[in-house]
């Protein structure tokens, strides 16, 4: 018998009367759509989905799940590649209707509800010429993104998104509302900044926002795949003394998408792409990026002044929901020539189109490495690079092979660093590798205090009962 059948109509009706939002169960017309998240490799069947309209719905949902002994999957922007924002037989607290964003210009802060996306956040903050470090794909949610760290175009200038978190309102496992900040529940505040969704439902978060744009220097330069090694090593050398205003990523793509500005002959072939954002004075920006234009023979160069809002949405069409995806990552201590060779060799083994195999090397440093290692649960602050190995396919039958390629590449690259980024993982069970032992032990202490029964377990799960 399924959990929903076991609950009975009367119990579901009780929940329906307790919440203002919609309650969806199997058989309802919306169920099929509502159970799905961004990654269609994930195919799970929750017993109940509650579309929360506010904190009161979250409290009612947590109380209900507790009384029925159900685990809770919390859903922010639905972009967990591992599928943590859905579950089989549990209760999904879907925060997507909770997407309000309010900007306080006088304090340079913005408050966002727990289900807001970067598209919604950037739109409101850019009204005032403000922004904080946000996702490279605007449909990503602030919730999971911030709680896991948060790496984007402003990361070297303003730090990780979690470094910009000022306070968070959390509904904990006892359905109590607590505020976490440096002044209140500081242990929880420390854990929320990198420890993921382990500690409760974040109904709203307050973030520092900074003058940004409205025009920045941003975009991408495409090079042919046979120049990948020289492009990657040239990029590595060019960013050695980069100013904080500049954040870049080097992507090795197995099959170039049919973008209108790429010649037809390039579509489906291997390319190396430098992606850059200079968030400062535009003339200084050109000096900072000029070396990227001479790394080889560019196929296309769309690195130019662009509204920050447009840059934040530039690659959205390439990352729509519905494909099957596998991400796996490793922080790198550096990018020596052997690492470059390993990545280029992996690109040579990438899956043929229409599957996509991509290697994203994110440049870190800057403001990220100036925050003390113990001040947040996020670890790996001194790593200069993060590698994300991405396998993506419209045909689920190809998933196993692109996932295998991504795993193998990450394993081959592990000798140049270590530890995954919790936000770039397609599998659970990465928590021990993601945090140093002392950090894990501290997270487990906080978990025991706020969720001793582990009802929030769909995440890189910190066990409340772990010994160390
Ligand atoms: C297309 C794409 C692009 C991405 N780009 C970037 C990028 O540029 N930089 C980067 O750092 N990461 C990036 N990511 C990874 C992203 O940060 C994680 O997938 C993140 O978990 C997404 O958050 P979400 O709220 O959208 O996801 P969800 O799937 O809704 O949630 C993810 C996890 O966070 C928990 N959670 C979400 N909201 C809350 C909340 N309000 N309270 C408590 N727990 C919550 C969930 O329970 C779950 O465990 C990207 C992912 C995708 C799929």
């Amino acid at each position: 018998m399924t959990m929903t059948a076991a609950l009975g109509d009367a119990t579901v009706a009780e929940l329906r009367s307790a919440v203002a939002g919609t309650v969806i169960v199997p058989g309802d017309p919306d169920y099929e759509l509502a159970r799905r998240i961004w990654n269609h490799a994930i195919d799970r069947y929750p017993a109940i989905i509650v579309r929360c309209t506010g904190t009161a719905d979250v409290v009612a949902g947590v109380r209900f799940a507790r009384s029925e002994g159900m685990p809770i999957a919390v859903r922010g922007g639905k972009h967990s590649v591992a599928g943590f924002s859905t579950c089989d037989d549990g209760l999904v607290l879907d925060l997507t209707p909770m997407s309000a964003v309010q900007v306080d210009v006088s304090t340079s802060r913005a408050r966002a509800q727990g289900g807001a996306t970067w598209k919604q956040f950037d739109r409101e903050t850019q009204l005032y010429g403000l922004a904080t470090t946000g996702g490279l794909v605007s449909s990503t949610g602030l919730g999971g993104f911030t709680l896991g760290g948060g790496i984007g175009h402003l990361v070297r200038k303003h730090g990780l998104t979690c470094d910009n978190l000022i306070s968070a309102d959390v509904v904990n496992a006892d359905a109590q509302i607590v505020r976490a900040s440096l002044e209140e529940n500081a242990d929880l505040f420390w854990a929320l900044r990198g420890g993921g969704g382990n500690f409760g439902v974040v109904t709203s978060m307050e973030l520092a926002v900074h003058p940004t744009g409205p025009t920045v220097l941003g975009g991408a330069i495409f090079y042919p795949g046979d120049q990948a090694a020289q492009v990657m090593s040239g990029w590595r050398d060019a960013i050695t003394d980069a100013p904080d205003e500049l954040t870049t990523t080097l992507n090795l793509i197995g099959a170039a998408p049919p973008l209108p500005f790429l010649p037809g002959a390039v579509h489906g072939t291997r390319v190396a792409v430098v992606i850059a954002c200079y968030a400062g004075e535009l003339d200084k920006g050109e000096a900072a990026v000029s070396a990227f234009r001479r790394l080889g023979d560019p196929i296309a160069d769309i690195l130019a002044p662009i509204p920050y809002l447009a840059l934040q949405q530039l690659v959205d069409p390439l990352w729509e929901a519905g494909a099957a995806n596998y991400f796996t990552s490793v922080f790198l201590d550096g990018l020596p020539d052997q690492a470059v060779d390993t990545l280029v060799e992996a690109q040579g083994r990438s899956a043929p189109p229409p599957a996509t195999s991509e290697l994203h090397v994110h440049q870190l440093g800057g403001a990220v490495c100036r925050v003390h290692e113990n001040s947040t649960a996020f670890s790996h602050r001194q790593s200069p690079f993060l590698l994300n190995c991405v396998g993506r396919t419209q045909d689920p039958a190809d998933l196993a092979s692109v996932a295998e390629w991504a795993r193998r590449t990450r394993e081959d690259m592990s000798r140049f660093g270590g530890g995954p980024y919790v936000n770039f993982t397609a599998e659970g069970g990465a928590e021990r590798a993601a945090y140093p032992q002392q950090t894990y032990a501290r997270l487990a202490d906080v978990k025991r205090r706020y969720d001793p029964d582990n009802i929030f377990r769909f995440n890189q799960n910190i066990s409340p009962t772990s010994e160390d």
Side-chain angles (χ1 to χ4, degrees):
M1 186 161 47
T2 65
M3 179 59 96
T4 317
L7 286 172
D9 290 348
T11 315
V12 173
E14 200 182 302
L15 177 63
R16 284 205 162 103
S17 68
V19 299
T22 318
V23 172
I24 303 166
V25 295
D28 287 353
D30 288 353
Y31 180 79
E32 195 48 35
L33 202 61
R35 75 180 183 87
R36 284 293 188 179
I37 58 170
W38 178 84
N39 184 8
H40 277 214
I42 307 297
D43 189 19
R44 296 190 185 135
Y45 291 83
I48 300 190
I49 300 162
V50 182
R51 291 221 167 111
C52 302
T53 58
T55 304
D57 280 2
V58 174
V59 168
V62 172
R63 283 194 186 133
F64 179 85
R66 293 233 63 153
S67 69
E68 299 301 326
M70 300 170 91
I72 297 173
V74 182
R75 182 177 292 176
K78 303 192 265 193
H79 274 45
S80 164
V81 180
F84 292 141
S85 40
T86 187
C87 59
D88 281 324
D89 291 333
L91 181 141
V92 172
L93 285 178
D94 181 351
L95 306 184
T96 52
M98 294 172 60
S99 60
V101 178
Q102 215 167 7
V103 183
D104 183 345
V105 181
S106 66
T107 57
S108 296
R109 294 174 180 195
R111 182 170 282 285
Q113 285 186 301
T117 62
W118 285 108
K119 188 171 189 168
Q120 292 158 331
F121 186 87
D122 290 339
R123 183 160 186 264
E124 297 300 329
T125 55
Q126 275 290 281
L127 265 185
Y128 305 96
L130 298 167
T132 202
T133 307
L136 303 181
V137 176
S138 76
S139 53
T140 314
L142 263 72
F145 189 96
T146 307
L147 299 174
I151 294 167
H153 288 306
L154 304 179
V155 76
R156 286 169 40 78
K157 189 170 184 197
H158 296 303
L160 300 160
T161 314
C162 71
D163 298 336
N164 290 281
L165 189 64
I166 293 169
S167 71
D169 287 346
V170 182
V171 175
N172 69 13
D174 289 333
Q176 300 299 312
I177 304 165
V178 291
R179 176 155 289 189
S181 69
L182 282 178
E183 291 79 33
E184 288 174 83
N185 300 302
D187 56 345
L188 177 60
F189 187 56
W190 170 85
L192 290 176
R193 288 173 294 156
N198 271 283
F199 312 97
V201 187
V202 175
T203 51
S204 81
M205 48 178 88
E206 193 185 11
L207 290 156
V209 284
H210 316 273
T212 304
T215 301
V216 296
L217 183 60
I221 306 175
F222 289 71
Y223 289 97
D226 60 10
Q227 297 180 356
Q230 83 180 61
V231 169
M232 184 171 263
S233 52
W235 163 75
R236 171 202 64 199
D237 297 343
I239 58 175
T240 310
D241 297 315
D244 288 359
E245 283 77 10
L246 181 66
T247 299
T248 63
T249 304
L250 194 290
N251 289 3
L252 298 184
I253 299 180
L259 296 166
F261 54 83
L262 290 179
V266 172
H267 298 173
T269 69
R270 287 196 286 278
V271 288
V273 189
V274 183
I275 296 170
C277 171
Y278 185 90
E281 289 170 38
L282 291 181
D283 50 345
K284 289 191 183 148
E286 184 47 45
V289 305
S290 63
F292 302 152
R293 304 193 196 276
R294 302 187 301 270
L295 298 172
D297 305 307
I299 305 165
D301 182 342
I302 57 158
L303 177 53
I306 181 173
Y308 176 74
L309 258 189
L311 180 66
Q312 284 292 92
Q313 296 170 23
L314 191 65
V315 298
D316 282 4
L318 301 175
W319 297 97
E320 282 176 356
N325 297 270
Y326 186 92
F327 289 14
T328 184
S329 59
V330 59
F331 286 97
L332 302 176
D333 299 334
L335 204 57
D337 289 343
Q338 302 99 302
V340 171
D341 292 344
T342 305
L343 288 169
V344 172
E345 193 252 333
Q347 186 192 21
R349 285 185 280 105
S350 50
T356 321
S357 320
E358 300 198 7
L359 300 169
H360 301 169
V361 184
H362 296 265
Q363 177 196 8
L364 300 175
V368 180
C369 65
R370 290 195 292 271
V371 174
H372 194 274
E373 201 78 35
N374 293 336
S375 0
T376 65
F378 181 91
S379 307
H380 308 285
R381 288 194 175 272
Q382 299 309 318
S383 302
F385 299 105
L386 167 68
L387 169 67
N388 187 18
C389 308
V390 176
R392 177 171 164 83
T393 167
Q394 298 296 334
D395 182 354
D398 291 337
L399 184 66
S401 66
V402 292
E404 179 48 32
W405 169 86
R407 266 193 303 270
R408 180 178 157 192
T409 308
R410 189 250 303 139
E411 277 159 21
D412 289 348
M413 287 297 291
S414 292
R415 66 196 157 112
F416 302 108
Y421 173 37
V422 291
N423 278 352
F424 287 156
T425 52
E427 292 179 39
E431 58 282 346
R432 294 279 180 171
Y435 304 102
Q437 205 176 347
Q438 270 189 322
T439 308
Y440 186 89
R442 201 171 156 190
L443 284 165
D445 273 346
V446 182
K447 180 76 172 175
R448 274 190 283 278
R449 208 158 309 146
Y450 292 93
D451 182 20
D453 300 324
N454 204 14
I455 63 164
F456 301 111
R457 69 184 71 147
F458 301 111
N459 36 55
Q460 295 298 346
N461 194 228
I462 307 296
S463 166
T465 54
S466 64
E467 293 305 310
D468 49 338

